[in-house]
Amino acid sequence: MLHALNNNFEAIQELREGGYGDADFTVKKAKVLYHADPNFTGCYKGYDWNGIKTYDAKEVYYREDTGEPIAIHGLRYNPIQYPTMIDKTRDMIERCNLDATGIQERISVSPNGGMCLVEYKLPAKEYTTPDGDTGNVKVMALSSFNGVWSFILSLGFHQSACLNSQIFIKNPASIYKARHTNKLDIDLGVSVLGKAANVIEDEIDLWHDLYNTKSDSATILRAFADIANYKDTIDEISWSSYKDDMNNKAMVYLMDKYQNHYAPKMGHNMWAVYNTITDWSTHAPSRSKDSIALMQRRTAKASEVMENYLLAA
């Protein structure tokens, strides 16, 4: 059980009193009916007298307030109501030892209600990074009824100067992700994230360790190649001519940011590599129109690469 070490009740209660914004609606489900033939008359093989039959293997999810359909899913689909997700996330923040004074909440919902993203910024306490920047803890919860997103609850860090969304790597439990099946357990996610929030200082200590760990070209290039899905051998990569030698835009982006921005600013260390990766996950150009789904994929990939290369350094 999580115990509140800060008096967060008033701050979170103010959010509760503000309601759920655009997410203040309930989604219900109903049987799927279809019209077999507009010229059909009679009643046989499961059709009624109007030629309508029930599709027993699927259910339609619709907004209760407008009646607008959102999606059709199988019988095992297990979504989370957005107000429930918001309530659970608020409860988690209230009970952990983060200071919620002045907390900022932003609720975003797609036009038909198929997707919902909730972001929290906790400005009361600033943490200092090894290079002297400051930042605040952020919490994100997202889910969907249209099947585009899994349910995700994450704990992260937002730097003030570079505006990168930092990713926790020492505690992989800072991200809880589950598909909408019977294995989805929002209470487990809340418990896991709450425990991660209580040991945030451990992550800050790791960042200082990365700052004091020298980076080597081979490890940097292997990490960048993993992120960029670069298939050629890294032995042939030249730091002096890579912009002319390769067509992989992600690889060029990563190498350019490290060589010309983060390494000169922070030194040739793993902290500079870390910031290069978070820069890519936050800012790198993409043709994708679904910015949140893109963020979800990039964060997952960045976390994987950091754990495989930075922790092993």
Side-chain angles (χ1 to χ4, degrees), residues 278-302:
T278 60
D279 183 302
W280 167 82
S281 67
T282 309
H283 302 298
S286 173
R287 294 181 179 179
S288 175
K289 296 181 180 180
D290 190 340
S291 60
I292 299 175
L294 175 67
M295 176 186 64
Q296 176 183 340
R297 294 194 302 271
R298 284 184 171 179
T299 299
K301 184 61 180 178

Side-chain angles (χ1 to χ4, degrees), residues 168-235:
F168 288 4
I169 54 177
K170 189 171 185 179
N171 190 343
S174 59
I175 299 178
Y176 174 84
K177 177 180 179 181
R179 300 178 63 186
H180 292 100
T181 68
N182 57 5
K183 294 183 179 180
L184 192 162
D185 187 341
I186 187 171
D187 290 319
L188 174 61
V190 167
S191 176
V192 166
L193 263 292
K195 292 176 181 177
N198 289 339
V199 293
I200 188 173
E201 284 79 8
D202 291 347
E203 190 70 23
I204 307 300
D205 289 341
L206 173 62
W207 294 347
H208 286 268
D209 290 340
L210 293 176
Y211 184 82
N212 293 318
T213 303
K214 295 295 182 182
S215 57
D216 64 275
S217 180
T219 301
I220 295 170
L221 293 177
R222 283 197 299 268
F224 290 174
D226 193 342
I227 290 174
N229 196 28
Y230 183 77
K231 298 300 184 182
D232 296 334
T233 175
I234 64 171
D235 295 335

Side-chain angles (χ1 to χ4, degrees), residues 1 21 24 70 86 90 94 103 106 117 121 134 142 153 172 177 202 226 233 239 245 257 260 300:
M1 182 177 179
D24 193 8
I70 296 176
I86 294 170
R90 290 170 176 171
E94 179 183 11
I103 187 171
R106 184 174 70 174
L117 166 69
K121 181 180 178 181
T134 58
L142 63 87
L153 185 61
K177 177 180 179 181
D202 291 347
D226 193 342
T233 175
W239 283 96
D245 296 342
K257 288 295 181 181
N260 296 312

Side-chain angles (χ1 to χ4, degrees), residues 68 104 118 159 203 245 311:
E68 182 179 3
Q104 301 165 13
V118 188
Q159 279 189 249
E203 190 70 23
D245 296 342
L311 289 184

Side-chain angles (χ1 to χ4, degrees), residues 84-133:
T84 299
M85 177 180 73
I86 294 170
D87 283 340
K88 296 285 187 178
T89 307
R90 290 170 176 171
D91 290 347
M92 184 271 290
I93 296 172
E94 179 183 11
R95 295 170 185 168
C96 72
N97 67 4
L98 298 174
D99 187 347
T101 304
I103 187 171
Q104 301 165 13
E105 178 185 66
R106 184 174 70 174
I107 300 172
S108 305
V109 179
S110 62
N112 72 336
M115 299 177 286
C116 178
L117 166 69
V118 188
E119 298 171 285
Y120 298 88
K121 181 180 178 181
L122 287 77
K125 183 173 182 179
E126 285 192 338
Y127 295 88
T128 302
T129 63
D131 55 289
D133 194 6

